[in-house]
Protein backbone atom coordinates (compact mmCIF):
# COMPACT_ATOMS: atom_id res chain seq x y z
CA UNK A 1 0.00 0.00 0.00
CA UNK A 2 1.39 3.40 -0.96
CA UNK A 3 1.99 5.74 1.93
CA UNK A 4 2.46 9.08 0.22
CA UNK A 5 1.89 12.22 2.27
CA UNK A 6 0.71 14.62 -0.43
CA UNK A 7 -0.20 15.03 -4.08
CA UNK A 8 3.32 16.04 -5.06
CA UNK A 9 4.78 12.81 -3.65
CA UNK A 10 1.98 10.83 -5.26
CA UNK A 11 2.59 12.29 -8.70
CA UNK A 12 6.35 11.85 -8.42
CA UNK A 13 5.91 8.15 -7.62
CA UNK A 14 3.00 7.16 -9.87
CA UNK A 15 4.00 9.13 -12.97
CA UNK A 16 7.74 8.61 -12.64
CA UNK A 17 7.93 6.99 -16.08
CA UNK A 18 6.48 10.01 -17.89
CA UNK A 19 8.95 12.22 -19.81
CA UNK A 20 10.31 15.13 -17.79
CA UNK A 21 7.78 17.92 -17.35
CA UNK A 22 4.87 16.04 -18.95
CA UNK A 23 3.13 15.11 -15.70
CA UNK A 24 2.93 18.72 -14.58
CA UNK A 25 1.30 19.80 -17.84
CA UNK A 26 -1.17 16.90 -17.87
CA UNK A 27 -2.08 17.46 -14.22
CA UNK A 28 -3.32 20.96 -15.08
CA UNK A 29 -5.46 19.82 -18.03
CA UNK A 30 -9.22 19.38 -17.99
CA UNK A 31 -10.94 17.02 -20.43
CA UNK A 32 -14.67 16.75 -21.12
CA UNK A 33 -15.83 13.24 -22.04
CA UNK A 34 -19.24 12.80 -23.65
CA UNK A 35 -20.42 9.24 -23.15
CA UNK A 36 -18.98 6.56 -20.87
CA UNK A 37 -19.37 3.38 -22.89
CA UNK A 38 -16.73 1.40 -24.75
CA UNK A 39 -14.97 4.55 -25.87
CA UNK A 40 -15.51 6.99 -23.01
CA UNK A 41 -14.80 4.65 -20.10
CA UNK A 42 -11.54 3.47 -21.65
CA UNK A 43 -10.49 6.98 -22.73
CA UNK A 44 -11.01 8.23 -19.17
CA UNK A 45 -8.93 5.45 -17.63
CA UNK A 46 -6.10 5.87 -20.14
CA UNK A 47 -5.99 9.63 -19.58
CA UNK A 48 -6.01 9.12 -15.82
CA UNK A 49 -3.09 6.72 -16.04
CA UNK A 50 -1.25 9.22 -18.23
CA UNK A 51 -1.64 11.93 -15.59
CA UNK A 52 -4.67 14.00 -16.60
CA UNK A 53 -6.22 15.10 -13.33
CA UNK A 54 -9.45 16.92 -14.11
CA UNK A 55 -12.50 15.58 -15.92
CA UNK A 56 -16.04 16.57 -16.78
CA UNK A 57 -17.90 13.36 -17.60
CA UNK A 58 -21.43 13.28 -18.99
CA UNK A 59 -23.77 10.31 -19.47
CA UNK A 60 -27.21 9.17 -18.35
CA UNK A 61 -26.89 5.38 -18.68
CA UNK A 62 -26.37 2.54 -16.18
CA UNK A 63 -23.96 -0.40 -16.37
CA UNK A 64 -25.58 -3.48 -17.94
CA UNK A 65 -24.21 -7.02 -18.45
CA UNK A 66 -23.75 -6.50 -22.20
CA UNK A 67 -21.42 -3.58 -21.44
CA UNK A 68 -18.80 -5.80 -19.81
CA UNK A 69 -17.43 -7.15 -23.10
CA UNK A 70 -15.76 -3.83 -23.96
CA UNK A 71 -16.40 -1.15 -21.33
CA UNK A 72 -14.18 -0.44 -18.32
CA UNK A 73 -16.59 -1.79 -15.70
CA UNK A 74 -16.82 -4.89 -13.51
CA UNK A 75 -19.62 -7.08 -12.14
CA UNK A 76 -19.80 -4.95 -9.01
CA UNK A 77 -20.81 -1.95 -11.14
CA UNK A 78 -23.93 -3.59 -12.66
CA UNK A 79 -26.95 -1.37 -12.15
CA UNK A 80 -24.86 1.64 -11.17
CA UNK A 81 -24.87 4.90 -13.12
CA UNK A 82 -21.88 4.76 -15.44
CA UNK A 83 -20.65 8.20 -14.46
CA UNK A 84 -20.48 7.16 -10.79
CA UNK A 85 -18.77 3.84 -11.54
CA UNK A 86 -16.23 5.57 -13.75
CA UNK A 87 -15.57 8.32 -11.18
CA UNK A 88 -14.91 5.63 -8.57
CA UNK A 89 -12.36 3.98 -10.84
CA UNK A 90 -10.59 7.24 -11.69
CA UNK A 91 -10.26 8.13 -8.01
CA UNK A 92 -9.06 4.60 -7.33
CA UNK A 93 -6.11 5.33 -9.60
CA UNK A 94 -5.59 8.98 -8.67
CA UNK A 95 -7.32 10.05 -5.44
CA UNK A 96 -6.29 13.65 -6.15
CA UNK A 97 -8.16 13.82 -9.47
CA UNK A 98 -11.06 16.23 -9.83
CA UNK A 99 -14.02 14.49 -11.43
CA UNK A 100 -17.17 16.46 -12.22
CA UNK A 101 -20.06 14.29 -13.40
CA UNK A 102 -23.39 15.10 -15.01
CA UNK A 103 -26.21 12.59 -15.30
CA UNK A 104 -27.93 14.07 -18.33
CA UNK A 105 -28.59 13.23 -21.96
CA UNK A 106 -26.87 15.55 -24.42
CA UNK A 107 -29.29 17.05 -26.95
CA UNK A 108 -29.20 19.81 -29.53
CA UNK A 109 -31.07 21.96 -27.01
CA UNK A 110 -28.63 21.66 -24.09
CA UNK A 111 -25.27 20.85 -25.70
CA UNK A 112 -24.08 24.44 -26.10
CA UNK A 113 -24.84 25.33 -22.51
CA UNK A 114 -23.19 22.18 -21.14
CA UNK A 115 -20.02 22.63 -23.20
CA UNK A 116 -19.74 26.43 -22.94
CA UNK A 117 -16.74 26.36 -20.58
CA UNK A 118 -14.97 23.31 -22.00
CA UNK A 119 -11.83 23.49 -24.15
CA UNK A 120 -11.03 19.85 -24.96
CA UNK A 121 -14.07 17.71 -25.76
CA UNK A 122 -13.87 13.98 -26.39
CA UNK A 123 -16.96 12.63 -28.19
CA UNK A 124 -17.58 9.01 -27.16
CA UNK A 125 -21.21 8.45 -28.14
CA UNK A 126 -22.70 5.37 -29.80
CA UNK A 127 -25.23 6.86 -32.19
CA UNK A 128 -24.25 8.39 -35.53
CA UNK A 129 -26.67 11.29 -35.09
CA UNK A 130 -25.13 12.33 -31.76
CA UNK A 131 -21.64 11.94 -33.17
CA UNK A 132 -22.49 14.21 -36.08
CA UNK A 133 -24.02 16.78 -33.74
CA UNK A 134 -20.76 17.11 -31.79
CA UNK A 135 -18.50 17.07 -34.86
CA UNK A 136 -20.58 19.81 -36.47
CA UNK A 137 -20.06 22.04 -33.43
CA UNK A 138 -16.37 22.30 -34.33
CA UNK A 139 -17.24 24.79 -37.07
CA UNK A 140 -19.22 26.89 -34.61
CA UNK A 141 -16.80 26.87 -31.68
CA UNK A 142 -13.32 27.59 -32.99
CA UNK A 143 -11.99 28.05 -29.46
CA UNK A 144 -12.69 24.41 -28.57
CA UNK A 145 -10.97 21.19 -29.68
CA UNK A 146 -13.11 18.20 -30.58
CA UNK A 147 -11.76 14.64 -30.59
CA UNK A 148 -14.43 12.40 -32.09
CA UNK A 149 -14.72 8.77 -33.17
CA UNK A 150 -16.23 7.07 -36.19
CA UNK A 151 -15.86 3.41 -37.14
CA UNK A 152 -14.45 0.81 -34.76
CA UNK A 153 -16.85 -2.12 -35.03
CA UNK A 154 -16.21 -5.69 -36.12
CA UNK A 155 -12.91 -7.48 -36.60
CA UNK A 156 -11.21 -5.36 -39.23
CA UNK A 157 -7.52 -4.61 -39.49
CA UNK A 158 -6.08 -2.66 -36.59
CA UNK A 159 -4.16 -0.39 -38.95
CA UNK A 160 -7.38 0.79 -40.55
CA UNK A 161 -8.11 2.76 -37.37
CA UNK A 162 -6.38 6.11 -37.67
CA UNK A 163 -6.52 9.65 -36.33
CA UNK A 164 -7.37 12.28 -38.94
CA UNK A 165 -7.52 16.04 -38.59
CA UNK A 166 -10.29 18.05 -40.23
CA UNK A 167 -9.97 21.81 -40.20
CA UNK A 168 -8.31 23.58 -37.31
CA UNK A 169 -9.98 21.93 -34.32
CA UNK A 170 -11.60 18.60 -35.26
CA UNK A 171 -9.94 15.20 -34.95
CA UNK A 172 -11.73 11.97 -35.90
CA UNK A 173 -10.42 8.58 -34.80
CA UNK A 174 -11.52 5.28 -36.33
CA UNK A 175 -11.86 3.76 -39.79
CA UNK A 176 -14.90 5.94 -40.65
CA UNK A 177 -16.73 2.98 -42.20
CA UNK A 178 -17.48 0.08 -39.83
CA UNK A 179 -20.87 0.64 -38.23
CA UNK A 180 -22.01 -1.37 -35.22
CA UNK A 181 -24.69 -3.40 -36.99
CA UNK A 182 -25.60 -7.03 -36.37
CA UNK A 183 -23.11 -8.14 -39.03
CA UNK A 184 -20.21 -6.41 -37.26
CA UNK A 185 -20.82 -6.31 -33.54
CA UNK A 186 -18.60 -4.59 -31.02
CA UNK A 187 -15.43 -6.37 -29.96
CA UNK A 188 -13.39 -5.01 -27.07
CA UNK A 189 -9.98 -4.98 -28.75
CA UNK A 190 -11.04 -2.88 -31.73
CA UNK A 191 -13.15 -0.48 -29.67
CA UNK A 192 -10.21 0.01 -27.33
CA UNK A 193 -7.92 0.66 -30.30
CA UNK A 194 -10.11 3.60 -31.21
CA UNK A 195 -10.31 4.74 -27.59
CA UNK A 196 -6.51 4.63 -27.43
CA UNK A 197 -6.32 6.80 -30.55
CA UNK A 198 -8.64 9.32 -28.88
CA UNK A 199 -6.68 9.33 -25.63
CA UNK A 200 -3.39 9.67 -27.50
CA UNK A 201 -4.76 12.57 -29.55
CA UNK A 202 -5.95 14.34 -26.39
CA UNK A 203 -2.56 13.90 -24.70
CA UNK A 204 -0.72 15.29 -27.70
CA UNK A 205 -3.14 18.22 -27.92
CA UNK A 206 -2.60 19.04 -24.25
CA UNK A 207 1.15 18.94 -24.83
CA UNK A 208 0.84 21.01 -28.03
CA UNK A 209 2.30 18.20 -30.09
CA UNK A 210 -0.65 17.51 -32.40
Amino acid sequence: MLNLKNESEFRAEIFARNPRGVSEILSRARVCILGTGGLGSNVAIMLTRAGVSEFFIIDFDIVEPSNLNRQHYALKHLGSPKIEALKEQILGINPYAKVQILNEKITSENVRHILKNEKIICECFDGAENKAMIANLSAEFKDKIFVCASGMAGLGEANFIQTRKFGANLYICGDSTSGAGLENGLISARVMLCAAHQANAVINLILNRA
Side-chain angles (χ1 to χ4, degrees), residues 60-133:
F60 64 98
D61 207 356
I62 63 170
V63 181
E64 300 177 350
S66 63
N67 299 151
L68 301 185
N69 84 318
R70 68 195 182 283
Q71 302 182 17
H72 208 287
Y73 302 109
L75 287 172
K76 69 175 183 177
H77 296 126
L78 291 177
S80 300
K82 289 182 179 179
I83 53 172
E84 294 182 7
L86 188 55
K87 179 177 181 178
E88 172 197 302
Q89 294 181 80
I90 291 170
L91 295 177
I93 299 167
N94 180 2
Y96 296 101
K98 299 175 183 178
V99 186
Q100 178 185 355
I101 56 177
L102 177 63
N103 190 347
E104 189 169 342
K105 183 176 182 179
I106 295 286
T107 67
S108 58
E109 286 75 31
N110 64 15
V111 65
R112 289 168 178 80
H113 174 73
I114 289 172
L115 299 182
K116 64 180 180 180
N117 295 322
E118 304 307 314
K119 297 299 182 183
I120 300 178
I121 299 156
C122 204
E123 176 274 304
C124 299
F125 289 138
D126 291 331
E129 184 176 335
N130 288 331
K131 288 179 172 296
M133 174 179 66

Side-chain angles (χ1 to χ4, degrees), residues 7 10-11 14-15 18 22-33 43-57 90-91 93-99 120 122 198-207:
E7 183 176 358
F10 172 85
R11 298 196 65 81
I14 299 301
F15 304 111
N18 281 357
V22 163
S23 294
E24 288 73 16
I25 298 171
L26 294 176
S27 72
R28 297 191 295 269
R30 174 181 168 99
V31 178
C32 175
I33 298 177
V43 167
I45 296 301
M46 283 186 270
L47 291 177
T48 301
R49 294 193 190 281
V52 174
S53 295
E54 185 171 357
F55 296 92
F56 181 26
I57 299 173
I90 291 170
L91 295 177
I93 299 167
N94 180 2
Y96 296 101
K98 299 175 183 178
V99 186
I120 300 178
C122 204
Q198 287 188 280
N200 191 59
V202 168
I203 291 167
N204 279 291
L205 286 162
I206 292 170
L207 299 175

Side-chain angles (χ1 to χ4, degrees), residues 141-157:
F141 295 104
K142 298 295 187 181
D143 61 328
K144 304 180 188 298
I145 297 172
F146 296 83
V147 179
C148 302
S150 177
M152 74 291 303
L155 295 166
E157 292 288 340

Side-chain angles (χ1 to χ4, degrees), residues 175-196:
D175 63 26
S176 299
T177 59
S178 58
L182 293 176
E183 70 282 1
N184 287 324
L186 291 166
I187 305 299
S188 176
R190 205 153 190 270
V191 173
M192 289 182 70
L193 277 170
C194 189

